[in-house]
Amino acid sequence: MENVVALQPKERVRQDAEPIATMYRNLGTSSAEQVVTRALGELALTMAGLASQVRAHEMGDLIRQLRRLQRMAENLGMVSLSIVAGDLRICMDLGDTTAFAAVWARLLRIAERSLSSDKAQLDQLDHTPF
């Protein structure tokens, strides 16, 4: 098996800082931190719930949960996460299980990178006056 190459895709995550910056401008630092932290927590819980549903093959409510994830990601400026959640809904609408598996794996990668980079951005915002 010397000729087998394990591919490790690296996702480029697109984010728009403006929604969070607007929250900081409109709400002030303390309130905006609370809102953003709560929203990121809800987003992480939604992803965990989606993962649990997919593992259990409980697809009945998945489209609604993906739509929720997509809205939450848009509100936080997580462009890539929002787009991929929408792509996964399309896979479900088409009933394409192969595409679903591939896009699901991509959603997991994007979510992981989005959430980890958002934490870093929040740490930076904590020290940036608006």
Side-chain angles (χ1 to χ4, degrees):
M1 289 287 182
E2 292 177 26
N3 294 331
V4 175
V5 176
L7 300 177
Q8 296 178 330
K10 282 197 164 188
E11 299 290 344
R12 182 174 175 266
V13 176
R14 290 186 357 219
Q15 296 186 345
D16 177 8
E18 189 55 35
I20 291 178
T22 300
M23 284 185 228
Y24 272 77
R25 280 192 301 270
N26 293 340
L27 300 175
T29 301
S30 179
S31 294
E33 276 181 21
Q34 290 174 356
V35 169
V36 171
T37 300
R38 186 174 58 240
L40 287 171
E42 287 179 29
L43 191 138
L45 285 173
T46 299
M47 274 304 303
L50 284 167
S52 179
Q53 283 181 271
V54 170
R55 275 193 306 274
H57 300 285
E58 296 172 358
M59 305 302 205
D61 189 38
L62 204 61
I63 288 179
R64 186 176 69 82
Q65 292 299 321
L66 286 167
R67 188 174 292 120
R68 180 173 187 255
L69 176 69
Q70 193 173 6
R71 278 192 311 267
M72 290 168 44
E74 285 173 4
N75 291 338
L76 290 168
M78 296 177 165
V79 176
S80 296
L81 186 61
S82 176
I83 290 170
V84 176
D87 291 345
L88 196 57
R89 286 179 37 222
I90 291 170
C91 294
M92 289 193 69
D93 287 341
L94 295 174
D96 189 336
T97 56
T98 303
F100 178 88
V103 176
W104 172 252
R106 184 167 187 235
L107 182 70
L108 292 175
R109 289 190 305 270
I110 293 286
E112 181 178 2
R113 297 224 26 221
S114 294
L115 288 170
S116 64
S117 66
D118 259 12
K119 182 179 178 340
Q121 280 183 343
L122 284 176
D123 290 343
Q124 276 185 332
L125 286 175
D126 193 25
H127 305 296
T128 305
F130 284 93

